């Protein structure tokens, strides 16, 4: 089956038309044209991940940020929720894990940058979308440019600006971007006033961003004043239906930026004046490519690593030039002084969320565990770090024939090219859908030579089977040698050694200047002396643990590595092996395991009453109780028993040490953990064990309570292909 592509059209790149960008005293600069962002005058693809300081223990910020950095994140995004900092009017809290300044300062000290989402409304599954209750009682409307509301916003902005003083890019600090409001689809004048107000309060940065989605033609924004950012999720927990939804469009190559389903629960359905966002004036940038999904009470999901990786790969194929994940790291809400902080129907929102848990099934969990999408996404991040400068200038070219959204047989493919060279993108994965295997697929691409003539490059016939998502290079420069094509995915480079990923089920072959070289998969370099280059082809099992840390390339032996104060560490607790690339080979190097790391957890069930499981030679115990040990009281109680006043099941939980995790398999509706009488953790049961770090439990009186009444909810079942 031959697969061809539509003709490449040289893009018209607009320059100096956006009122964005800037320089600082160190000589660093950032600029934005209509196709890509530039750092120091060179094309740049940023990799951004959301992590909420106010939802994480301050003493763990550094370790978790270092894990994000090891996963390829260089730009840390966070909301700044008004509710969490001024729950009571005039009483501000920027202490402890609310210390915004300390968090942003730490980001800079770790060699990362920050994107601060200052609101005033942020959503983030927070109570009132992040507005304090007292603000809702004011005698004026909110989220528009009326003078009374803008006076309140100015007071809030000045407080935030004071916290961030001296940390902006212009001060040689880490704050590169500020997002104004969130999910504001239809008020460009209001957004422009917010930008003016932010600058007036001293929050001057190169990038002012807004969310660009709307249900029709994209959000109404102040044209050329802000950069619209987009996103997409592998599911829709905000949908009010409790049935299985149609397949997501994010596993197709469409080139469409606006996802009209994000925030659908809060948006109007149609722009009355026919507004259309002028996409051609802006690079394609994301801020909410879903790193996972937040479960709501009525819709519960089980996210797999490929759900996220395939979606991100499709985005890159479609032209994304800023990758931004929401969430990249999960977290836990605090209880407020007056109420809980989470979104609920009790506060007028269409969804009920857990009172505390904001795990989001993210690449890094709310307790710092690594999920599979963390490893898979890093395959893309490694590539963008080393090849992003060339890749940013390439544009999306659709296939000659594109499959329909319910088609499970036609191959899904696209090009990202500059007309001469580029990459063939293929996605053979659809969440919760089986795609038909494609045999003997041939890709034909047109390449323009230096003299202006074109040639057709033909890849060998490939069988594309199973759940795979990948891209293949053509006309790629390898230190002066021309890689005409390859049946392996580029990862990164070290000098004249080039690292590639073996696509599962596909033989890695490299055509260099017309000569084919089958290369054996493994950790050793295949040297091509006449080309003065070497190629290393890693299988997926190894490549998942390949990390770029402070400029060096490391490989974990089945473990996730990061650097802390110059010490190589693994997230996992057991003894590990690691290697560093030196002198043309992977050399063994020391690695230190985390004392309280994420080793395999014992799984406790309640089917037979008292159940124990041995962990590291010690016994964890879950004991079902006949009576409740105490009465539930306190803020947020109305949101605890969302399924109604059905019977409660109580368990006593004991652990012998603070190391690692314990898993609870308790099929139920809602589950909560109380330690010494305080609500400490919760979740909605969604078909997988509930994992808890034992350091939360050790030395405390711990009780788990579950509700058993279920009403009309959607709970995802395992999908067998």
């Amino acid at each position: 089956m031959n697969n061809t592509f539509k003709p490449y059209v040289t893009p018209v790149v607009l320059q100096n038309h956006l009122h964005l960008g800037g320089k600082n005293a160190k000589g660093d600069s950032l600029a934005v044209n209509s196709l890509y962002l530039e750092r120091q005058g060179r094309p740049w693809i940023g990799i951004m991940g959301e992590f909420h300081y106010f939802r994480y223990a301050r003493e763990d910020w550094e370790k978790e940020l270092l894990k994000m950095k090891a996963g390829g994140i260089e730009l840390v995004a966070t909301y700044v929720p008004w509710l969490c900092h001024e729950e009571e009017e005039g009483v501000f809290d920027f202490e402890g894990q609310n210390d915004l300044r300390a968090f942003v300062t730490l980001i800079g000290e770790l060699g990362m940058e920050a994107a601060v989402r200052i609101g005033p409304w942020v959503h983030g599954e927070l109570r009132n979308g992040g507005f304090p209750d007292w603000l809702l009682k004011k005698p004026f409307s909110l989220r528009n440019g009326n003078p009374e509301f803008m006076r309140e916003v100015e007071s809030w902005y000045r407080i935030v600006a004071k916290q961030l003083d001296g940390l902006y890019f212009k001060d040689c600090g880490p704050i590169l971007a500020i997002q104004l409001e969130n999910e504001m689809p239809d008020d460009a004048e209001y957004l422009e006033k917010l930008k003016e107000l932010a600058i007036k309060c001293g929050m001057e940065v190169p990038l002012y961003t807004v969310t660009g989605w709307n249900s029709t033609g994209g959000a109404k924004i102040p044209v050329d004043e802000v950069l619209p950012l987009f996103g997409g999720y592998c599911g829709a927990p905000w949908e009010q239906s409790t049935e299985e939804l149609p397949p997501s469009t994010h596993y197709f190559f469409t080139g469409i930026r606006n996802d009209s389903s994000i925030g659908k629960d809060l948006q109007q359905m149609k722009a009355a004046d026919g507004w259309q966002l002028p996409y051609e004036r802006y690079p394609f940038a994301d801020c909410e490519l879903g790193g996972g999904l937040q479960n709501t009470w009525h819709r519960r999901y089980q996210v797999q690593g490929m759900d996220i990786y395939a979606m991100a790969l499709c985005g890159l194929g479609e032209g994304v030039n800023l990758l931004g994940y929401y969430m990249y790291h999960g977290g836990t809400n605090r209880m407020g002084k007056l109420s809980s902080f989470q979104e609920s129907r009790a506060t007028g929102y269409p969804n009920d969320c857990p009172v505390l848990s904001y795990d989001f099934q993210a690449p890094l969990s709310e307790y710092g565990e690594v999920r599979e999408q963390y490893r898979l996404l890093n395959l893309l991040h490694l590539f963008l770090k080393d090849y992003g400068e060339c890749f940013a200038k390439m544009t999306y070219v659709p296939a000659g024939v594109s499959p329909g959204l319910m088609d499970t047989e036609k191959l899904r493919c696209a090009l990202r090219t500059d007309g001469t060279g580029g990459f063939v993108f293929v996605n053979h994965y659809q969440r919760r859908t089986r795609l038909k295997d494609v045999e003997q697929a041939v890709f034909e691409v047109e390449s323009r030579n230096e003299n202006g003539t074109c040639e057709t490059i033909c890849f060998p016939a490939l069988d594309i089977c199973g759940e795979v998502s990948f891209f293949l290079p053509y006309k790629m420069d390898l230190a002066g040698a021309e890689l005409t094509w390859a049946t392996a995915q580029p990862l990164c480079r070290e000098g004249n050694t080039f690292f590639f990923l073996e696509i599962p089920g596909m033989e890695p072959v490299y055509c260099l200047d017309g000569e084919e070289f089958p290369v054996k998969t493994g950790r050793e370099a295949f040297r091509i002396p006449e080309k003065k280059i070497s190629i290393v082809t890693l299988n997926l099992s190894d490549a998942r643990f390949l990390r770029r840390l402070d400029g060096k390339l490391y490989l974990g032996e089945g473990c996730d590595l990061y650097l802390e104060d110059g010490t190589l560490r693994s997230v996992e607790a057991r003894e590990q092996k690691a290697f560093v690339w030196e002198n043309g080979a992977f050399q063994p190097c020391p690695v230190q395991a985390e004392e309280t790391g994420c080793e395999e957890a014992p799984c406790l069930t309640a089917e037979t009453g008292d159940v124990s499981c041995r962990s590291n030679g010690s016994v964890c115990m879950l004991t079902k109780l006949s009576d409740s040990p105490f009465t539930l009281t306190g803020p947020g109680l109305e949101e605890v028993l969302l399924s109604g006043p059905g019977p409660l099941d109580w368990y006593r939980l004991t652990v012998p040490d603070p190391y690692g995790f314990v898993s609870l398999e308790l099929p139920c509706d809602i589950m909560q953990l109380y330690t010494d009488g305080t609500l400490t953790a919760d979740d909605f049961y969604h078909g997988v064990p509930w994992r808890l770090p034992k350091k939360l439990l050790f030395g405390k009186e711990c009780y788990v309570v579950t509700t058993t009444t279920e009403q009309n909810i959607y709970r995802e079942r395992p999908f067998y292909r």
Side-chain angles (χ1 to χ4, degrees), residues 356-672:
L356 297 184
S357 178
Y358 201 65
D359 175 75
F360 217 86
Q361 302 182 73
L364 291 169
S365 79
E366 75 179 299
Y367 302 122
E369 292 183 276
V370 169
R371 291 198 171 100
E372 184 61 14
Q373 61 262 42
Y374 173 92
R375 299 162 180 148
L376 295 177
L377 291 173
N378 190 53
L379 304 175
L380 305 178
H381 303 164
L382 287 166
F383 169 79
L384 293 175
K385 188 70 173 177
D386 284 359
Y387 301 108
E389 185 175 333
C390 294
F391 189 72
K393 295 183 284 188
M394 297 179 177
T395 55
Y396 162 67
V397 176
V401 177
S402 297
L405 294 182
M406 300 303 292
D407 193 330
T408 60
E409 297 188 3
K410 290 189 182 71
L411 192 62
R412 304 172 187 191
C413 57
L415 290 185
R416 182 95 183 242
T417 179
D418 59 8
T420 299
F423 304 89
V424 176
F425 278 77
V426 177
N427 180 41
H428 196 250
Y429 181 86
Q430 176 78 51
R431 187 174 194 275
R432 301 185 66 76
T433 302
R434 189 182 185 281
L435 302 184
K436 183 179 179 181
D437 291 343
V438 178
E439 297 179 350
Q440 298 296 292
V442 175
F443 299 107
E444 294 182 358
V445 296
E446 297 297 318
S447 174
R448 183 180 60 236
N449 294 319
E450 291 181 359
N451 59 13
T453 62
C454 287
E455 63 172 315
T456 299
I457 295 174
C458 188
F459 284 76
L462 303 170
D463 291 339
I464 301 172
C465 305
E467 298 178 343
V468 291
S469 191
F470 59 89
F471 57 94
L472 304 176
Y474 68 95
K475 284 295 188 79
M476 182 179 183
D477 177 61
L478 300 186
E482 181 186 89
L483 181 61
T484 310
W485 53 259
T487 58
Q489 179 173 315
L491 286 172
C492 57
R493 65 177 293 183
E494 279 284 297
N496 281 7
T497 300
F498 297 86
F499 294 80
F500 285 79
L501 168 68
E502 177 193 38
I503 310 303
M506 196 175 296
E507 181 187 6
V509 180
Y510 301 84
C511 181
L512 286 156
D513 296 321
E515 183 180 358
E516 294 185 17
F517 295 87
V519 175
K520 184 179 178 181
T521 301
R523 299 177 185 178
E524 294 184 2
F526 177 79
R527 291 172 174 80
I528 309 176
E530 62 270 30
K531 305 296 182 183
K532 299 181 180 180
I533 64 171
S534 298
I535 291 174
V536 178
T537 309
L538 297 175
N539 61 34
L540 183 58
S541 295
D542 274 345
R544 290 160 60 240
F545 298 101
L546 188 67
R547 302 286 181 267
R548 174 84 68 186
L549 305 175
D550 287 2
K552 288 187 176 183
L553 205 58
Y554 292 88
L555 182 65
E557 187 78 74
C559 62
D560 297 284
L561 304 174
Y562 67 100
L563 274 179
E564 184 177 28
D565 296 328
T567 299
L568 185 66
R569 301 183 184 275
S570 74
V571 174
E572 294 78 12
R574 61 189 183 276
E575 185 176 344
Q576 305 294 344
K577 292 182 180 179
F579 305 87
V580 61
W581 184 262
E582 290 180 342
N583 302 318
F586 281 113
Q587 310 286 351
C589 63
V591 57
Q592 184 171 319
E594 282 191 22
E595 186 179 51
T596 59
C598 309
E599 92 278 11
E600 197 64 33
C603 193
L604 309 182
T605 71
E607 296 174 356
T608 58
D610 292 0
V611 180
S612 65
C613 186
R614 191 162 295 277
S615 169
N616 295 332
S618 302
V619 175
C620 300
M621 184 74 74
L622 183 72
T623 306
K624 190 169 185 179
L625 306 177
S626 57
D627 297 307
S628 59
F630 57 86
T631 302
L632 295 175
T633 60
L637 181 62
E638 72 277 10
E639 294 127 352
V640 169
L641 307 178
L642 297 174
S643 57
L648 303 180
D649 289 323
W650 285 88
Y651 307 85
R652 179 183 290 110
L653 177 61
T654 58
V655 299
D657 55 62
Y659 307 121
F661 283 70
V662 64
S663 292
L664 306 181
E665 180 54 49
L666 297 172
C668 60
D669 186 13
I670 301 167
M671 43 200 175
Q672 293 185 319

Side-chain angles (χ1 to χ4, degrees), residues 125-283:
E125 287 68 60
L126 286 161
R127 181 184 183 90
N128 312 324
F131 279 160
D133 284 5
W134 58 261
L135 184 63
L136 273 64
K137 298 174 183 177
K138 298 289 183 179
F140 48 77
S141 60
L142 309 180
R143 301 189 71 194
N144 60 56
N146 75 75
E148 294 89 350
F149 176 61
M150 292 304 290
R151 277 195 292 271
E152 294 286 352
V153 174
E154 181 171 354
S155 296
W156 167 239
Y157 272 17
R158 289 195 180 281
I159 293 293
V160 175
K162 183 179 179 181
Q163 292 293 316
L164 300 177
D165 185 46
L167 298 176
Y168 304 105
F169 179 83
K170 66 183 177 68
D171 308 309
C172 301
I175 302 176
L176 194 69
I178 283 177
Q179 179 181 299
L180 307 165
E181 252 280 348
N182 190 50
E183 297 179 339
M184 173 49 63
D186 56 6
D187 196 337
E189 183 180 355
Y190 169 53
L191 292 173
E192 186 162 14
K193 286 182 177 180
L194 290 178
K195 178 181 177 180
E196 293 169 355
L197 184 56
I199 294 172
K200 176 183 174 182
C201 294
M203 293 188 281
E204 296 180 54
V205 292
L207 285 181
Y208 293 92
T209 71
V210 296
T211 50
W213 52 84
N214 194 357
S215 57
T216 50
K220 289 184 181 179
I221 65 173
V223 176
D224 296 346
E225 294 295 328
V226 294
L227 175 64
L229 305 182
F230 298 88
Y233 291 87
C234 66
W238 53 83
E239 285 282 356
Q240 295 306 296
S241 166
T242 55
E243 302 297 325
E244 183 110 17
L245 299 177
S248 168
T249 61
H250 292 293
Y251 298 99
F252 294 81
F253 298 99
T254 65
I256 298 173
R257 303 189 192 188
N258 181 41
D259 183 343
S260 61
S261 71
I262 305 179
K264 184 178 178 180
D265 48 340
L266 300 170
Q267 290 181 9
Q268 64 179 27
M269 291 305 296
K270 188 175 182 180
D273 60 0
W275 161 265
Q276 177 61 60
L277 195 155
Y279 299 109
E280 70 280 359
R281 301 184 71 79
Y282 306 98

Side-chain angles (χ1 to χ4, degrees), residues 292-308:
L293 280 179
Q294 171 72 348
N295 283 323
T296 53
W297 179 71
H298 66 288
R299 293 197 66 84
R300 308 182 190 185
Y301 292 86
Q302 295 181 21
V303 174
Q304 308 298 318
M306 277 294 291
D307 295 346
I308 310 304

